[in-house]
Amino acid sequence: MNAIKVKQCSNCGTNFDCGDVSEEKKCWCNDFPPIFNLSEGADCLCPDCFKNSCAIKIEEYVATISPENALENKAKDLPKTTYLIEGIDYYLENGNYVFKAWFHLKRGSCCGNGCRHCPY
């Protein structure tokens, strides 16, 4: 396994830890959806910049989804994650979780509850 490295964010310059500790304890970035690769020449992003980049990429993708093509979306085929990420899967409103379209797309179908951001 790789050792933890201290890297500098190629976007904001912040130092952060990067790397897998063991097969069981992967790098923090593995908790995010595998939706893009960094461009050549760029190195890792810090957790904040990585989350922001993921959120932007996801919002761009969600904007291409309509009820007509939602069932065929690519998000449902991504590896399942063990927990939800605030700002990507949901946001909080008056202490309540509001699931975003990305969360619904990952599930792969409508639950029938009339969710606010249901893409189906």
Side-chain angles (χ1 to χ4, degrees):
M1 268 297 101
N2 297 333
I4 296 291
K5 298 174 189 167
V6 175
K7 291 194 170 187
Q8 189 173 49
C9 179
S10 60
N11 186 52
C12 72
T14 299
N15 290 331
F16 65 97
D17 291 340
C18 180
D20 298 339
V21 174
S22 67
E23 192 64 37
E24 296 80 34
K25 185 163 173 36
K26 298 282 191 180
C27 185
W28 57 266
C29 66
N30 287 296
D31 294 331
F32 287 83
I35 57 170
F36 69 95
N37 295 322
L38 292 172
S39 61
E40 286 187 27
D43 202 353
C44 293
L45 298 173
C46 70
D48 288 337
C49 289
F50 192 83
K51 181 178 178 180
N52 290 337
S53 293
C54 280
I56 290 166
K57 197 73 156 171
I58 287 169
E59 291 302 321
E60 289 170 354
Y61 177 72
V62 167
T64 69
I65 301 297
S66 67
E68 293 76 31
N69 67 8
L71 288 174
E72 302 305 318
N73 85 84
K74 295 176 184 177
K76 66 180 176 21
D77 299 326
L78 291 174
K80 303 302 179 208
T81 55
T82 57
Y83 71 96
L84 303 176
I85 302 171
E86 185 174 2
I88 290 180
D89 294 304
Y90 72 94
Y91 58 91
L92 293 173
E93 182 178 272
N94 299 321
N96 297 310
Y97 286 78
V98 179
F99 294 107
K100 298 177 77 172
W102 179 251
F103 171 84
H104 298 292
L105 289 170
K106 289 191 312 182
R107 186 179 56 234
S109 63
C110 178
C111 65
N113 289 328
C115 299
R116 183 185 305 174
H117 299 293
C118 182
Y120 300 100

